[in-house]
Amino acid sequence: MHVLSAVLLLAACKLVSAAPTPLFGIDLGEININTDGKTTDADTVPFSQDEITNTLVRPALFARVVYCSSPSVVNMTCGEQCDALPNVKILVAGGDDKRVPNFFVAHDVDTETIVVAHQGTEPANLLSDLNDLNFFQVDANTTVLPKANKDVKMHDGFADTQERTADLVLSTVQSALKSTGAKKVLVTGHSLGAAIASIDGMMLRMKLDPSIAVTTTVFGLPRVGNQAWADLVDSTLGSSFTHVTNQHDPVTQVPPQFADFQHPSNEIHITAVDPSGIIATAQRCPGQENQNCAPGNNLLDFNIDNHRGPYFQNISMANRFCPV
């Protein structure tokens, strides 16, 4: 099944939303494509402005800047996106904005953290073909993820894209930790970059010394793998993994659960952003696929602009928001 099928379902629901009566006796407002997987309806917990500022803003700034061209990021000459991150030294950067999305590894001097960031893609492109591939599942690559067993299945496009930069990311992080003395690693990304970053976060946690703190914070994450993948993320990363969903972003709901894909725990769901794009109202969502958060969204209300942002502090993520 192609992700395009999910998009057509979303579009069809949108087109009939004005119908005065249910279509063929079905109330499309009650349809939820997230069926057949593990879900929860646990009560959410408010996520404060201080928590947003202290835990989400800096990862979001890195997830935004990686959309800029690699030369401009290396020289930190990408305008306000780079200006928002002073005292950051880029250690390696690459990608062609196509087969290999842009990425970098950097030393964040102010926080004494090694940062790995991966570029996403335009939501229309991601939704239509998910990196130009069907959402077919493959076994986890145990060279990349040595603790993954045979039950762990992953989207082939996401796994393949991550593998193209895995060796360089790992070796650069290892070298940077040694040369800087840093004891923390942050992995981040948005959209397709969030999927790659999630796999990177797992790889780094499995391969780095346990004394190194690895935090993975991603935005607009599509589902990366099956139930066994989601459970492995939970057991390996625990609360050091966070995936942020923005209101009615449809990208976070593909591939669908009925195709045997599952989100890990630790969703932070933004329920509203004020007109300035600065203040967001958010909630912590216990468990996997919490129906009080993004997985419970009504299909009629999907908004692709929510995928780009703003998320908070007027941070939006896409090529169009990068001046270079």
Side-chain angles (χ1 to χ4, degrees):
M1 179 181 289
H2 292 75
V3 170
L4 181 57
S5 301
V7 177
L8 290 174
L9 175 58
L10 291 166
C13 290
K14 198 72 171 178
L15 286 171
V16 302
S17 62
T21 57
L23 185 65
F24 303 120
I26 300 173
D27 184 353
L28 290 172
E30 297 302 317
I31 293 177
N32 189 326
I33 62 172
N34 302 322
T35 59
D36 298 336
K38 180 192 297 185
T39 64
T40 181
D41 60 358
D43 290 342
T44 61
V45 179
F47 198 74
S48 71
Q49 296 301 313
D50 284 346
E51 288 175 300
I52 290 173
T53 299
N54 294 334
T55 64
L56 301 184
V57 168
R58 200 157 186 85
L61 292 173
F62 282 107
R64 178 178 69 170
V65 79
V66 74
Y67 274 98
C68 299
S69 69
S70 291
S72 70
V73 172
V74 167
N75 297 311
M76 295 303 282
T77 57
C78 58
E80 66 176 284
Q81 279 78 356
C82 287
D83 294 343
L85 291 166
N87 299 322
V88 170
K89 180 180 179 181
I90 304 298
L91 304 175
V92 68
D96 56 15
D97 198 16
K98 294 177 183 177
R99 188 170 181 271
V100 179
N102 291 346
F103 70 97
F104 63 74
V105 180
H107 180 207
D108 183 356
V109 177
D110 287 346
T111 64
E112 279 302 307
T113 302
I114 306 304
V115 179
V116 179
H118 287 277
Q119 177 195 27
T121 188
E122 276 298 307
N125 296 338
L126 182 63
L127 282 167
S128 66
D129 54 26
L130 269 166
N131 207 30
D132 297 323
L133 292 166
N134 300 338
F135 46 84
F136 178 73
Q137 291 183 347
V138 295
D139 292 341
N141 183 339
T142 53
T143 300
V144 174
L145 302 173
K147 295 183 181 179
N149 63 32
K150 61 182 178 59
D151 295 328
V152 176
K153 310 293 182 185
M154 303 170 68
H155 176 268
D156 60 347
F158 295 154
D160 182 59
T161 303
Q162 187 271 342
E163 288 170 17
R164 294 171 195 155
T165 58
D167 288 344
L168 180 57
V169 166
L170 177 61
S171 63
T172 304
V173 169
Q174 290 172 325
S175 176
L177 289 169
K178 184 177 180 179
S179 64
T180 65
K183 299 294 183 183
K184 296 181 292 183
V185 176
L186 168 67
V187 190
T188 191
H190 168 253
S191 190
L192 170 62
I196 301 169
S198 297
I199 305 171
D200 266 7
M202 289 285 284
M203 173 186 73
L204 292 170
R205 180 63 289 159
M206 290 181 183
K207 295 197 171 190
L208 296 179
D209 189 275
S211 65
I212 303 298
V214 178
T215 300
T216 305
T217 303
V218 297
F219 304 86
L221 174 70
R223 295 186 179 94
V224 173
N226 66 355
Q227 182 70 65
W229 160 258
D231 292 342
L232 184 63
V233 173
D234 285 357
S235 63
T236 302
L237 300 181
S239 61
S240 69
F241 176 80
T242 301
H243 63 109
V244 180
T245 59
N246 188 19
Q247 301 175 86
H248 294 277
D249 174 6
V251 170
T252 64
Q253 300 313 306
V254 293
Q257 276 189 290
F258 65 66
D260 196 23
F261 284 85
Q262 181 82 5
H263 270 311
S265 300
N266 298 308
E267 175 188 358
I268 300 296
H269 182 54
I270 297 171
T271 58
V273 180
D274 77 346
S276 73
I278 295 174
I279 302 299
T281 303
Q283 57 193 21
R284 190 184 299 276
C285 309
Q288 296 179 4
E289 304 284 357
N290 192 314
Q291 298 300 295
N292 293 313
C293 297
N297 279 348
N298 187 317
L299 288 179
L300 301 182
D301 296 327
F302 81 93
N303 185 341
I304 204 165
D305 287 335
N306 289 160
H307 185 63
R308 302 182 183 101
Y311 284 72
F312 38 72
Q313 297 298 314
N314 211 21
I315 298 173
S316 295
M317 305 174 202
N319 289 344
R320 66 178 64 181
F321 301 112
C322 192
V324 180

